[in-house]
Structures are given as structure tokens and as C-alpha cells.
């Protein structure tokens, strides 16, 4: 009688840790997006990330996982009855593949990917989306796009298993996927009131940097964790994640320095995200020196790409398209240029610069194009449907006065001087009767002095 499979405690522990830190990426994203936003919409922005955790976790349990990772049925989705959430399948012998990892652990790990992919889209529609519309969209897009695309790329579907496209941790399935949907929603919802004439700068740069730092930390679980085991591939994915991201910080701020005369912390933080995005699909397929070059290219190109919205007229509020969509494409194509079997045996066609011609490059481009088309078209349709039924965009009055109050009846900051001492504003002399301004004339309300 064959011996029952046993749990590999080392692999299981590594994936549990990776799952936890990948989950931390979504609150990190909430801080990153929240800091980039205006103060009067910071809570709404963060709520969209936190609500994705709640909604997508439940969808993933009940049917998302079986759509994405059930046995392939048609190249597009998995066996719809194999892993449904009401089915009892947590037996001692229910392990994922040959890894020795309990099925539930792998399910939890991939759940975190589904969560953050949905949350990424929200940055494109800050300050003007109804929360109810966002929830309906997140439900529909996760169901119709993310779950099937995850199967197509990773679950034995026609992109990964059929075409032979390589995506180690989510360049197509996560970043290109979310970026294409973000562009579609930016088109559906239109421009914010006052954009682009009105300055809409980040309201809290330290929050941006903290969010970027948490994302950077969690990305090691995202990329290195995708090997599922602790081995040499895990090591190369970990190292490439670090050096590519470091190089992208430099690439972004060099462009910023040359273009604007000053490097900024927002630029460095955005450069880090661009590098993390770009290395995601390629982290286990390229050598570290190629990862460094990738980071420099991704940081510089994404720094330039964020200006596309001004040239083309779409209001992608927090540059999801310029960073995630463009960065995802760069990382995806990089495999076709620098992927090599000396790094990973999964690379069957050497990259162009390793003498393999354009075969893998063409496969990578086709896979990115397919995901772009699927996500953009479905997101555009969902967005228009929601707008024409329950409404997706908030009123102009709510947008100008502050979407936090309109949608959630709360504010990220108490700017009132009516109670107490006025907090930090009173300490700074703003709106205080003891300030030099107030000595000569009545103090103006804080709302007139502090731009949202």
C-alpha cells in the first residue's frame, strides 16, 4: 500500500509567512494610495482597499479558487465543483502538488493575490467613485476577469500551459490585468472636477513612503513565495526583487532630477513600486544583473509614462496605468529578452539576448495583449453598466466638498477649531486668535487656509 503523503513543515511555514506578508501589502497599498490622494478623500481611497480584503476573501473561498486552480476544463476556467467552499476537502492527504503544503495554505496564499489585484484598480478612480459602485464592480471584475485570468496564466489554462507564456508571480495576471481595468474605469468615470488645471498633489508624503515600504516588504512574499518551496529559485527571486527595486528607485529619481530639477520622496516611492511591478513576472527567470537593468529601465520609463494621461486626456488619479500597466508590460517582455535556462529550467526558449531569437518575446507579448484586451473590455462594460444603473460616479457637489463625508460620514482629519484647542493647527498658529494674523483681523476658517 503506498505511503500517505506527509506535510513538509518547512515549505508550509514559508508559505504561511509569505501569505501573511502578502496580505499586509493591501493595507500598505491603502497607505500608499491614501497618502497620494487629497486629504478630503483619503478614507474613501483606503476603504476601497480594505473592502477588497473583505469581499474577495469570501468570493475566493466559495468559488474563486476552484475557477482559478481547479482542473482545466476549457483553457479558460477550472472545474467549478472541485474546490467549492462548501465542500469538505481538508483531509490529511489533501496537499498541493508535490510541495507537501496543505491545500488550504496554498489557497490562502493565492487569495492574497486576488485581493490586492482588485485593490490596485481603485487608485485610478479616487475622489469620484461611489463606494457602492466600487463594491459591485469589484465583485463583477473579480468573478469575470481575475479568477479566469489566473487560471489561464497559472492554473493550466491556454496562456500558461497552452502558449507557454511565463509569469512567475503576476506581471500579466496581476499588474497588466489591473492596469487595463484601471484605464477602462478612468474612461468611464471621466475627469475629476478641476483636473488637470487644479493642482491635486499628495496630501501626506510620509504616508506614501510608509505604504511603499510595506509594499516592498510584502513583495518578497509575493515573488519569492510564489516558488512555494524554500530552494535556489526562491533565493534568486528574492535577490532579484531587491536589486531591481533598488535600481528602479534610482531610475525614477534620475529622470525626475533631470526633468524637474529636484528628486522627491514621492518619486523614490513610486520608483520602488515600478521596480517591484516590473520584476514580478521575471524574478525567477533572469540573472541579477539583468534585474538591475530592468529596474533602471522600468523606473525611468514609468516616470515618463505617468505623463501619458495629460497627453491622452484620461484622468488616472494615482497613475495605476503609468506604473502597473506599463511596468507589467516591461517585466513581461523582459523575459523574452533576458530569460535564460541557466537561471530556471522553466525557460524553454532562451531570451533574445541569449541567442534564442524572438520566439519567447513574441509569446510574452501575445500573452500580455490577450490579458489587456480581456480586462479592458470587460471592465469597460461593467463600468458603463454600473454607471447606467445604480450610478458609479458621485455628484460634483460631493466631490468638491469631500467624498469622505459624502460616502462614509467621517473625515481623515479634524480640521475644526470649534472644539478643544484645534489640535496641530492651533499649535501651529493657524486659525488661532493668538496668531499674528488674527491680531489684526478676524481669523479665517481653517477650511479657507488649508487646501484639501
Amino acid at each position: 500500500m503506498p505511503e500517505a503523503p506527509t506535510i513538509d513543515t518547512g515549505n508550509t511555514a514559508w508559505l504561511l509567512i509569505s501569505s501573511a506578508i502578502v496580505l499586509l501589502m493591501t493595507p500598505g497599498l491603502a497607505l500608499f494610495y491614501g497618502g497620494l490622494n487629497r486629504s478630503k478623500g483619503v478614507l474613501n481611497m483606503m476603504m476601497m482597499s480594505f473592502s477588497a480584503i473583505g469581499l474577495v476573501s469570501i468570493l475566493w473561498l466559495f468559488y474563486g479558487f476552484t475557477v482559478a486552480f481547479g482542473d482545466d476544463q476549457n483553457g479558460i476556467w477550472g472545474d467549478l465543483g472541485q474546490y467549492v467552499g462548501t465542500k469538505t476537502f481538508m483531509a490529511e492527504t489533501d496537499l498541493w502538488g508535490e510541495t507537501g503544503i496543505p491545500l488550504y495554505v496554498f489557497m490562502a496564499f493565492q487569495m492574497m493575490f486576488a485581493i490586492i489585484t482588485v485593490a490596485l484598480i481603485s487608485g485610478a478612480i479616487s475622489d469620484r467613485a461611489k463606494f457602492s459602485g466600487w463594491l459591485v464592480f469589484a465583485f463583477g471584475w473579480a468573478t469575470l476577469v481575475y479568477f479566469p485570468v489566473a487560471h489561464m496564466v497559472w492554473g493550466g489554462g491556454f496562456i500558461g500551459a497552452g502558449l507557454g507564456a511565463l509569469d512567475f508571480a503576476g506581471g500579466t495576471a496581476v499588474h497588466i490585468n489591473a492596469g487595463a481595468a484601471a484605464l477602462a474605469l478612468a474612461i468611464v468615470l471621466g475627469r475629476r472636477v478641476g483636473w488637470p488645471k487644479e493642482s491635486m498633489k499628495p496630501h501626506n508624503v510620509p504616508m506614501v513612503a510608509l505604504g511603499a515600504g510595506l509594499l516592498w516588504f510584502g513583495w518578497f512574499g509575493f515573488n519569492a513565495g510564489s516558488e512555494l518551496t524554500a530552494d535556489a529559485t526562491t533565493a534568486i527571486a528574492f535577490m532579484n526583487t531587491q536589486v531591481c527595486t533598488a535600481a528602479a528607485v534610482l531610475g525614477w529619481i534620475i529622470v525626475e532630477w533631470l526633468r524637474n530639477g529636484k528628486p522627491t520622496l514621492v518619486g523614490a516611492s513610486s520608483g520602488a513600486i515600478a521596480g517591484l511591478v516590473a520584476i514580478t513576472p521575471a524574478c525567477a527567470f533572469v540573472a541579477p544583473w539583468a534585474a538591475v537593468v530592468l529596474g533602471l529601465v522600468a523606473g525611468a520609463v514609468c516616470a515618463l509614462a505617468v505623463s501619458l494621461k495629460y497627453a491622452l486626456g484620461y484622468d488616472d488619479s494615482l497613475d495605476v496605468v503609468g506604473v502597473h500597466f506599463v511596468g507589467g508590460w516591461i517585466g513581461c517582455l523582459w523575459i523574452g529578452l533576458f530569460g535564460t535556462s541557466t537561471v530556471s529550467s522553466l525557460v524553454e526558449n532562451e531570451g533574445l539576448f541569449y541567442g534564442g531569437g524572438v520566439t519567447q518575446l513574441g509569446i510574452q507579448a501575445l500573452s500580455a495583449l490577450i490579458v489587456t484586451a480581456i480586462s479592458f473590455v470587460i471592465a469597460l462594460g461593467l463600468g458603463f453598466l454600473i454607471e447606467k444603473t445604480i450610478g458609479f460616479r458621485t455628484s460634483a457637489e460631493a466631490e468638491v466638498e469631500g467624498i469622505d463625508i459624502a460616502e462614509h460620514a467621517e473625515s481623515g482629519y479634524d480640521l475644526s477649531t470649534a472644539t478643544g484647542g484645534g489640535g496641530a493647527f492651533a499649535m501651529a498658529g493657524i486659525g488661532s486668535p493668538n496668531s499674528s494674523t488674527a491680531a489684526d483681523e478676524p481669523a479665517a476658517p481653517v477650511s479657507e487656509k488649508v487646501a484639501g
Side-chain angles (χ1 to χ4, degrees):
M1 186 174 180
E3 188 175 323
T6 57
I7 293 176
D8 185 312
T9 55
N11 289 344
T12 300
W14 166 238
L15 204 62
L16 284 169
I17 293 169
S18 295
S19 301
I21 63 175
V22 174
L23 175 61
L24 183 64
M25 291 172 67
T26 300
L29 180 73
L31 288 169
F32 182 72
Y33 278 174
L36 286 173
N37 211 59
R38 292 182 290 180
S39 61
K40 60 186 178 181
V42 58
L43 296 186
N44 177 259
M45 189 73 264
M46 297 181 76
M47 270 289 285
M48 287 196 272
S49 286
F50 276 88
S51 64
I53 299 176
L55 176 64
V56 179
S57 296
I58 304 306
L59 300 182
W60 188 252
L61 172 68
F62 281 105
Y63 62 87
F65 180 70
T66 198
V67 171
F69 291 99
D71 293 339
D72 181 56
Q73 300 299 295
N74 50 21
I76 300 175
W77 58 75
D79 185 347
L80 300 182
Q82 188 173 359
Y83 297 125
V84 290
T86 54
K87 181 179 180 180
T88 301
F89 56 85
M90 187 53 187
E92 184 180 356
T93 57
D94 283 325
L95 306 181
W96 183 255
E98 304 297 322
T99 61
I101 296 170
L103 189 60
Y104 271 136
V105 177
F106 177 73
M107 182 180 182
F109 179 65
Q110 287 296 335
M111 177 189 290
M112 309 315 172
F113 280 65
I115 289 168
I116 196 168
T117 305
V118 173
L120 286 173
I121 301 169
S122 65
I125 57 173
S126 71
D127 282 337
R128 61 197 190 280
K130 289 183 179 179
F131 187 63
S132 58
W134 162 251
L135 288 177
V136 173
F137 175 82
F139 169 80
W141 189 85
T143 301
L144 299 177
V145 180
Y146 182 77
F147 301 158
V149 167
H151 180 79
M152 295 177 210
V153 175
W154 293 322
F158 81 95
I159 293 178
L163 292 177
L166 297 175
D167 183 356
F168 191 74
T172 51
V174 175
H175 299 291
I176 293 175
N177 204 6
L183 177 59
L185 287 193
I187 293 171
V188 171
L189 268 67
R191 302 178 179 187
R192 287 166 290 177
V193 174
W195 188 89
K197 293 181 180 180
E198 182 182 341
S199 177
M200 299 182 181
K201 295 181 179 180
H203 89 283
N204 192 325
V205 176
M207 184 186 291
V208 173
L210 176 59
L214 289 172
L215 284 164
W216 194 334
F217 170 73
W219 227 289
F220 291 113
F222 201 85
N223 286 354
S226 291
E227 173 63 359
L228 306 185
T229 63
D231 59 14
T233 300
T234 308
I236 192 70
F238 196 106
M239 177 58 71
N240 282 345
T241 299
Q242 177 63 19
V243 297
C244 180
T245 308
V249 171
L250 301 178
W252 189 296
I253 64 174
I254 287 171
V255 168
E256 194 174 49
W257 214 330
L258 293 173
R259 184 174 57 184
N260 304 325
K262 300 287 184 181
T264 68
L265 183 56
V266 169
S269 301
S270 300
I273 304 306
L276 291 164
V277 168
I279 195 58
T280 293
C283 60
F285 305 130
V286 301
W289 70 266
V292 172
V293 179
L294 171 58
L296 290 170
V297 171
V301 172
C302 290
L304 297 171
V306 296
S307 298
L308 284 174
K309 63 184 181 182
Y310 299 106
L312 299 178
Y314 63 88
D315 184 9
D316 171 18
S317 307
L318 306 184
D319 299 313
V320 182
V321 177
V323 175
H324 293 274
F325 183 71
V326 173
W329 263 89
I330 293 171
C332 180
L333 297 179
W334 209 256
I335 300 170
L337 297 174
F338 293 98
T340 173
S341 58
T342 60
V343 174
S344 172
S345 60
L346 295 176
V347 180
E348 297 181 357
N349 302 303
E350 296 290 321
L352 178 63
F353 290 103
Y354 281 87
V358 297
T359 300
Q360 192 64 43
L361 182 62
I363 292 172
Q364 296 301 116
L366 181 59
S367 69
L369 187 60
I370 291 171
V371 172
T372 297
I374 292 172
S375 182
F376 180 82
V377 170
I378 295 179
L380 193 70
L382 277 173
F384 275 122
L385 181 62
I386 294 168
E387 176 63 19
K388 297 302 181 182
T389 52
I390 66 171
F392 207 156
R393 178 158 182 165
T394 191
S395 67
E397 292 78 10
E399 184 180 334
V400 171
E401 293 175 6
I403 196 169
D404 285 350
I405 296 296
E407 289 290 317
H408 308 291
E410 58 182 350
S411 175
Y413 306 96
D414 183 7
L415 305 182
S416 171
T417 58
T419 59
F425 290 96
M427 292 174 64
I430 299 175
S432 168
N434 296 323
S435 67
S436 58
T437 302
D440 300 322
E441 57 184 358
V446 173
S447 60
E448 295 180 13
K449 298 185 177 185
V450 182

